[in-house]
Amino acid sequence: MGAIRRLRLFIPGLVMLLVVSAGSMAVASSANLSRSFNSTEKIENGSLVSLEAQRSDYVEPANTANAKRLIGVASNPNESLLAVDPTTGKVQVATSGNASALVSTLNGNVRVGDLIAVSPFSGIGMKSVYGAKVIGLAQTNLNDSTAGAVSKQVTDKDGKTSTIKVGLVRVSLDVRTDNN
């Protein structure tokens, strides 16, 4: 095995550490880019987040009411290939690459290749519908047999109660509108 060299690249406001080993570069298991934002509330890792309407350096859990400001997924800075300003007390938001996102089966089971969009539930995504604001493409499934998924009772606007699953889905991030 070749020698390992550590290189530090300093850019104002940004520190990057590259680990090079005998002609190959070590790659983080998560391969996302993230940066920190402020928030007035606690936001769990995996939550879809939107910029606040009045402050561009603040995020809030994303839902259909604030979907037009969707920016990314709250993530652990240690899971980012490059984390810009991973400050304690702030929300680290993955804006490109791959991330684990909280998703529900509200709009049906999620399969690899499905588009994941903002849902009416703050911070939680769902299988997309035409015209919805999309966070990205599912890389894993979510259904009744998905390990770690939990059941939740929800009531729609007509008063009908149903059970959905909520769990983490690996998503290739690509914020856009579903025009399919």
Side-chain angles (χ1 to χ4, degrees):
M1 207 183 254
I4 294 178
R5 293 187 307 158
R6 294 175 191 247
L7 307 170
R8 290 181 191 246
L9 175 61
F10 293 96
I11 300 172
L14 173 71
V15 176
M16 183 165 60
L17 174 66
L18 297 175
V19 179
V20 180
S21 171
S24 65
M25 187 179 294
V27 179
S29 64
S30 176
N32 74 47
L33 302 179
S34 64
R35 67 165 281 219
S36 62
F37 288 87
N38 296 305
S39 180
T40 57
E41 59 189 288
K42 177 149 176 54
I43 298 178
E44 297 297 324
N45 286 341
S47 297
L48 278 61
V49 294
S50 291
L51 292 171
E52 283 190 6
Q54 304 301 319
R55 300 183 286 187
S56 64
D57 60 335
Y58 278 74
V59 292
E60 59 190 358
N63 56 49
T64 50
N66 64 17
K68 67 182 177 184
R69 298 186 310 275
L70 180 66
I71 189 167
V73 176
S75 64
N76 183 328
N78 295 328
E79 295 174 1
S80 292
L81 181 62
L82 177 61
V84 178
D85 191 25
T87 307
T88 302
K90 290 190 174 188
V91 178
Q92 197 69 23
V93 177
T95 56
S96 67
N98 303 314
S100 294
L102 284 170
V103 176
S104 76
T105 58
L106 177 66
N107 199 32
N109 291 337
V110 174
R111 294 185 301 224
V112 171
D114 285 342
L115 292 174
I116 303 301
V118 173
S119 79
F121 303 112
S122 292
I124 300 174
M126 66 179 185
K127 186 175 175 177
S128 186
V129 295
Y130 180 80
K133 192 67 168 190
V134 170
I135 189 69
L137 191 70
Q139 296 180 322
T140 56
N141 297 323
L142 178 65
N143 54 47
D144 289 340
S145 60
T146 301
V150 296
S151 295
K152 297 286 184 183
Q153 289 277 333
V154 296
T155 305
D156 67 17
K157 62 183 177 185
D158 298 323
K160 181 183 172 198
T161 301
S162 57
T163 301
I164 62 171
K165 290 287 188 176
V166 178
L168 290 172
V169 171
R170 197 80 181 137
V171 176
S172 177
L173 300 174
D174 180 18
V175 176
R176 60 188 161 129
T177 300
D178 184 352
N179 292 320
N180 294 328

